[in-house]
Amino acid sequence: MTTGRAWRAERRALLRAGVLGATAGALAGCARRPFWVPPPVTVDAPGRALGHALRERWRAGPPTYSDWRSAESRRVDVAIVGGGIAGLACAWRLHRAGVRDAWVLAGPEPLGNAAGTSLAGTGCPTGAHYLPLPSVESRHVRELLADAGVLREGVDAEAPLYDERALVHAPSHRLLVDGLWQPGPLPALDRTAQAQADAFLALVAELADERGRDGRRAFVVPVEASSRDAPSRALDATSAAAWLDARGWTAAPLRAWLEYVTRDEFGATPDEVSAWALVHYFAARHGRARNAEPGAVLTWPDGLAPLGRHLMAPAAAAGQVLPVSIERIERTADGLRCWGWSHGAADGTPGAGPLGVPVVIHARRVVVATPLAVAARIVPELADAWPRAAPERRAPWTVANVVFRRAPDESHTGGEDELAWDSVVHGSPALGFVHARHQEIRLDPSGPTVLTAYRAYAPADRDARAELERLSAPDAPADARAWLELVGLDIERAYGTRVWRDVLR
């Protein structure tokens, strides 16, 4: 067994040779592994049992609902199907407009991709963990931030004043290259690679200012506000990889960085997304702050959960958030009928079986705020109009919160005493990890620390996707070692396998 300084030197040599990822499987068989007892692993898969039960229910064809005579029935003015940010933003907006009978059917996971949790006394995300500064075009987002007290002054200003506690603190980003941490998204570049990176960023800056004949920006959030006739719209006809190749931007460090971007944003590699999508990631970030550098983001210990809870607050206070998942929506003479399943009563009483208790919601209007693939299954009119994505085109994710007894030792990677907010391993197929406690004003480094590791499984990641599917099966045993090797890839690459000995859960 290699220990101490010798092990650190050995590991650094492996990293510098660029073979650590390739030898991860071999390292797993070294003498360290048999004596390594994995920490407890808890897997949270919201909606998994419900999804499998619905699939079995539909195998023989669409079920009929005429025999749901015993189903609980409720009549509302507006039903909002989906409890993620889209549905909650709709409920919040309707409440501000004076609509008092709008109900959120929140499904199996309220807050959706903005959900969070608390571990070791600190909040940590179970979904998205930051929000880019919204530009003038994203006034609806600015209004939300102002209502939540995050945007302090200047809703319509080019650079508003934001709450300092929500602006990401320094050090914000770092990159692990050859076993050593360095600031910024790109490693040190030779002259050729630097010229390519400069040319790419110059073109992105140029396209960020592009406007169509209609006067709108070519790249903006929301996409609905972007130009319909800007020349750059033609970029959507070619892949990002082909576009980069055509311009001669082939330097390996630059391409590794841009692949990280497409994985992080779209769950896919550059040959699987369009050039327009890649450029949009950079060129659409027009947001500025009076009290922050360009490129700053808004974040909280538990990610976007505080914003989700703020959006949910009016409906929750009125008792209008229901743990209901909708299976089908049909038109009626006086509105719409939503057939669904209640997963539990307001007092927390669980529903019966994996589906829950049948429920029928009669509504004058229904807002469907679900992913389009889900909407196509529950709204008959969309079933043929929206082609169902093939499995290889979907982008599954894992978000893993790892609780350490104390912050990991940074000495062998050239790190400072303080973890950065976002740590990325150069060239890794995973997406690095976020320090959940980074935003705390007073941080005790000796206390428990939570690192949140993100990974998107692109269609090209066939082996990893197969392993994720195996581990995610409803009847799969809790294989702690396998889960840690899958979701903790970048943590292990940064600190070595010994890091798991300091993990509580």
Side-chain angles (χ1 to χ4, degrees):
M1 181 181 293
T2 309
T3 59
R5 187 174 299 172
W7 178 84
R8 291 172 182 171
E10 172 190 275
R11 180 181 173 281
R12 185 175 298 182
L14 283 171
L15 279 166
R16 285 178 175 160
V19 300
L20 184 57
T23 59
L27 288 174
C30 291
R32 294 190 299 274
R33 283 294 192 189
F35 301 101
W36 174 60
V37 178
V41 172
T42 302
V43 180
D44 183 21
R48 178 174 62 181
L50 171 68
H52 280 268
L54 285 174
R55 183 180 66 179
E56 292 302 314
R57 175 174 159 81
W58 279 68
R59 281 195 184 278
T64 60
Y65 301 92
S66 58
D67 57 347
W68 281 31
R69 298 183 182 89
S70 61
E72 176 189 352
S73 181
R74 186 188 298 264
R75 188 168 294 276
V76 304
D77 184 33
V78 180
I80 302 168
V81 180
I85 287 293
L88 296 176
C90 175
W92 175 78
R93 177 68 71 178
L94 289 174
H95 185 269
R96 285 167 62 90
V99 178
R100 294 294 180 263
D101 191 20
W103 293 70
V104 178
L105 311 182
E109 186 181 34
L111 275 63
N113 285 337
T117 188
S118 180
L119 297 171
T122 186
C124 45
T126 57
H129 63 287
Y130 75 94
L131 175 69
L133 293 175
S135 65
V136 173
E137 291 88 350
S138 295
R139 195 181 195 283
H140 57 298
V141 180
R142 289 184 169 193
E143 288 178 357
L144 160 64
L145 295 173
D147 191 59
V150 178
L151 193 157
R152 295 296 180 83
E153 294 178 13
V155 171
D156 294 312
E158 186 69 26
L161 179 71
Y162 287 93
D163 185 344
E164 293 280 355
R165 294 169 298 177
L167 290 165
V168 67
H169 301 165
S172 58
H173 296 80
R174 64 178 183 172
L175 185 70
L176 187 69
V177 184
D178 292 338
L180 300 176
W181 291 113
Q182 64 177 53
L186 274 168
L189 302 175
D190 60 27
R191 183 177 299 178
T192 299
Q194 188 64 58
Q196 292 181 20
D198 291 344
F200 171 79
L201 293 174
L203 179 58
V204 165
E206 179 183 331
L207 292 176
D209 293 330
E210 181 184 87
R211 293 180 182 269
R213 291 189 301 275
D214 54 12
R216 295 181 173 186
R217 293 187 199 261
F219 296 95
V220 71
V221 175
V223 174
E224 184 183 38
S226 61
S227 171
R228 294 293 186 269
D229 56 19
S232 58
R233 290 181 71 88
L235 291 174
D236 207 34
T238 186
S239 74
W243 179 69
L244 293 167
D245 288 344
R247 290 183 168 269
W249 295 335
T250 57
L254 173 64
R255 295 298 283 266
W257 174 45
L258 297 180
E259 178 168 330
Y260 168 83
V261 166
T262 61
R263 284 177 175 272
D264 187 39
E265 190 76 356
F266 310 110
T269 54
D271 59 338
E272 297 162 339
V273 301
S274 76
W276 185 92
L278 173 64
V279 172
H280 185 275
Y281 172 85
F282 295 95
R285 298 200 175 197
H286 303 288
R288 297 290 183 269
R290 190 192 314 172
N291 52 338
E293 296 295 323
V297 299
L298 300 167
T299 188
W300 295 264
D302 46 351
L304 298 186
L307 292 183
R309 289 192 293 268
H310 183 81
L311 289 171
M312 182 186 285
Q320 295 174 344
V321 180
L322 300 178
V324 168
S325 292
I326 297 302
E327 181 179 352
R328 194 167 184 82
I329 302 174
E330 297 178 343
R331 296 186 182 277
T332 64
D334 58 349
L336 298 108
R337 182 185 296 117
C338 303
W339 306 93
W341 303 90
S342 176
H343 312 307
D347 61 2
T349 305
L355 286 173
V357 177
V359 62
V360 181
I361 307 291
H362 301 273
R364 185 178 63 88
R365 293 284 187 271
V366 173
V367 178
V368 180
T370 70
L372 291 172
V374 176
R377 291 183 177 273
I378 65 178
V379 181
E381 294 92 328
L382 293 180
D384 296 328
W386 181 260
R388 295 174 184 172
E392 63 271 13
R393 300 302 301 169
R394 298 173 187 152
W397 281 65
T398 52
V399 182
N401 285 294
V402 185
V403 184
F404 290 82
R405 291 182 177 89
R406 63 191 68 82
D409 178 16
E410 300 280 343
S411 59
H412 66 288
T413 54
E416 303 295 334
D417 292 337
E418 185 181 5
L419 277 163
W421 170 65
D422 190 20
S423 299
V424 175
V425 178
H426 183 63
S428 171
L431 299 172
F433 48 90
V434 173
H435 183 202
R437 296 181 60 196
H438 182 75
Q439 293 298 100
E440 294 181 15
I441 301 299
R442 293 179 178 86
L443 178 61
D444 178 10
S446 65
T449 296
V450 180
L451 300 184
T452 307
Y454 287 84
R455 187 169 183 179
Y457 301 82
D461 303 330
R462 293 180 180 85
D463 291 344
R465 285 167 72 108
E467 179 70 348
L468 178 62
E469 185 173 0
R470 181 185 73 82
L471 294 173
S472 300
D475 56 351
D479 189 338
R481 286 175 181 262
W483 271 114
L484 286 177
E485 290 175 10
L486 186 70
V487 305
L489 177 67
D490 283 355
I491 292 177
E492 188 167 304
R493 285 188 171 191
Y495 302 111
T497 57
R498 291 169 175 267
V499 74
W500 300 118
R501 297 181 179 182
D502 288 328
V503 171
L504 298 174
R505 58 176 297 193

